[in-house]
Amino acid sequence: MLTDDEILTAMRMAVGKCRSAGSDLAYLDYEMRDIRALPGHLDVELVQRDGHSARLLIALPSSGELQYWLFAPPEDAQGWVSQLFIWIDEEVFTSGLSDGRTRVEKDGDSYVQTAPYGWRLTDTSEDARLSKAAGTQGWYG
């Protein structure tokens, strides 16, 4: 099993690479900031160029929580982080930081909420439809 420290190190390296000059990830219209390590979780701030922002609480393997973004068993921490980035990219590019996503306010920060299908929608009928389609294990379960 991957350790939280391995994943945190891989995450910080990947985010550093995204910020570096000449990065092949410079096309992203959002940035990851303020990565906080919590027991069993990463707490990350996402900020889009258009000003939308949110925090995301990401379950690490040690939490025992489902990790909906994993579409294949990762070989290492870098693979785990790569799959997470694909998931975040998909969610951000489908209005993931807009008002159409369910949020919870905590200590002055706004967190998008996850669901087996992605980031929970405020539209309750669409949330129910996608939840049913994805099942309890998510798209890849």
Side-chain angles (χ1 to χ4, degrees):
M1 179 163 115
L2 296 172
T3 69
D4 292 0
D5 287 339
E6 290 171 326
I7 290 172
L8 177 60
T9 298
M11 180 80 153
R12 287 192 169 141
M13 287 175 56
V15 169
K17 181 180 177 188
C18 289
R19 290 182 184 155
S20 69
S23 168
D24 59 346
L25 298 174
Y27 65 88
L28 296 176
D29 76 342
Y30 72 94
E31 186 179 340
M32 287 187 178
R33 300 180 186 166
D34 190 29
I35 300 170
R36 301 174 187 170
L38 305 172
H41 293 84
L42 293 176
D43 181 339
V44 178
E45 179 184 23
L46 303 171
V47 179
Q48 278 187 296
R49 289 182 191 155
D50 66 5
H52 287 98
S53 67
R55 295 196 72 86
L56 176 64
L57 195 60
I58 303 162
L60 293 167
S62 69
S63 72
E65 295 177 33
L66 290 176
Q67 297 169 10
Y68 309 118
W69 54 89
L70 294 178
F71 52 86
E75 292 183 20
D76 55 21
Q78 185 177 1
W80 189 96
V81 169
S82 294
Q83 290 184 60
L84 173 68
F85 280 14
I86 291 168
W87 182 67
I88 290 172
D89 290 350
E90 290 173 353
E91 293 301 313
V92 169
F93 291 124
T94 55
S95 302
L97 299 177
S98 72
D99 294 336
R101 301 298 178 133
T102 302
R103 294 177 181 240
V104 170
E105 299 292 323
K106 180 180 174 190
D107 298 327
D109 291 320
S110 180
Y111 288 82
V112 291
Q113 299 299 291
T114 61
Y117 63 81
W119 296 356
R120 190 171 302 282
L121 298 172
T122 56
D123 179 330
T124 55
S125 62
E126 187 65 1
D127 173 64
R129 184 187 74 76
L130 290 171
S131 291
K132 184 178 179 183
T136 57
Q137 301 294 310
W139 298 119
Y140 306 110

